[in-house]
Amino acid sequence: MGRPMTSQRVAAQMRLDRIDLRLEDASPELSVMVDASGTHLITGHALEPVIVATIRPEAAEVDRELILHAIDDLRWLRSTYARLAARYRKLVGEPEPEPRKAGNYAAQCAMMCDRQAFRNYLATVLGKDVSDGERVRVAVHEALSIASRKELNTDPAATRRWQNLLGDFEAWERTGR
């Protein structure tokens, strides 16, 4: 029997979950390219690189190093945290958390689309037209790069995009817009 989940612990876990989802979705291999305009983090192959970020030549060396290693450092930190959390749970006799069951994200999305606060978020933050239900549906499909809400239950990448969007909305809502 674990400790009860306080709202603070729930919020922290949700943030960790969103970090994990972003790390899963991020390009697995980034490399560095340097030219006259700066140091670039790139993905893809050398013939057709996609610049993810540019660090200008006038940036301080310590800032350049922080940015260039941020993703690898974050992956290492999450891995280390997961191992330490497992050791802590074992020490205090707390059971391992059960794997999360997949939810009906399509239904969740449909319910969220009926909420005025979510519509306000789509309009204000994403600049979407939400003047009627059909436009809200189209706005969400565009924001998530899906053709149907059913994909939220069948495509793990679409699920992650939905969870990230929902997390961003919840953060926006908590900060008072």
Side-chain angles (χ1 to χ4, degrees), residues 170-177:
E170 290 167 350
W172 175 81
E173 193 174 37
R174 275 193 310 275
T175 60
R177 303 163 190 145

Side-chain angles (χ1 to χ4, degrees), residues 81-150:
Y81 175 83
R83 287 191 311 275
L84 289 172
R87 287 178 63 191
Y88 172 79
R89 283 190 297 274
K90 187 175 180 181
L91 270 171
V92 298
E94 194 173 290
E96 288 293 319
E98 292 183 29
R100 292 189 175 191
K101 296 176 183 159
N104 186 343
Y105 301 112
Q108 181 186 40
C109 181
M111 288 187 289
M112 290 302 295
C113 287
D114 287 336
R115 287 190 54 200
Q116 188 59 47
F118 187 67
R119 289 176 177 219
N120 291 344
Y121 166 80
L122 293 172
T124 305
V125 176
L126 302 183
K128 300 294 186 181
D129 178 1
V130 294
S131 55
D132 61 42
E134 178 60 19
R135 286 184 172 87
V136 171
R137 186 189 67 75
V138 169
V140 169
H141 285 199
E142 287 174 356
L144 299 174
S145 300
I146 58 173
S148 166
R149 283 193 297 242
K150 290 177 187 175

Side-chain angles (χ1 to χ4, degrees), residues 12-112:
Q13 186 60 54
M14 287 174 61
R15 184 169 185 189
L16 285 172
D17 290 347
R18 286 193 301 276
I19 289 168
D20 288 340
L21 290 170
R22 286 191 292 266
L23 283 171
E24 282 179 32
D25 284 346
S27 298
E29 292 295 323
L30 292 174
S31 53
V32 176
M33 178 178 80
V34 179
D35 64 19
S37 66
T39 304
H40 310 284
L41 277 173
I42 62 170
T43 187
H45 51 77
L47 297 176
E48 294 181 38
V50 175
I51 297 175
V52 175
T54 298
I55 304 165
R56 307 267 311 150
E58 59 271 14
E61 182 67 25
V62 292
D63 295 332
R64 182 177 297 117
E65 287 299 307
L66 176 69
I67 298 303
L68 290 175
H69 299 285
I71 293 174
D72 288 335
D73 291 348
L74 188 54
R75 285 183 173 132
W76 179 84
L77 285 169
R78 284 301 292 134
S79 171
T80 301
Y81 175 83
R83 287 191 311 275
L84 289 172
R87 287 178 63 191
Y88 172 79
R89 283 190 297 274
K90 187 175 180 181
L91 270 171
V92 298
E94 194 173 290
E96 288 293 319
E98 292 183 29
R100 292 189 175 191
K101 296 176 183 159
N104 186 343
Y105 301 112
Q108 181 186 40
C109 181
M111 288 187 289
M112 290 302 295

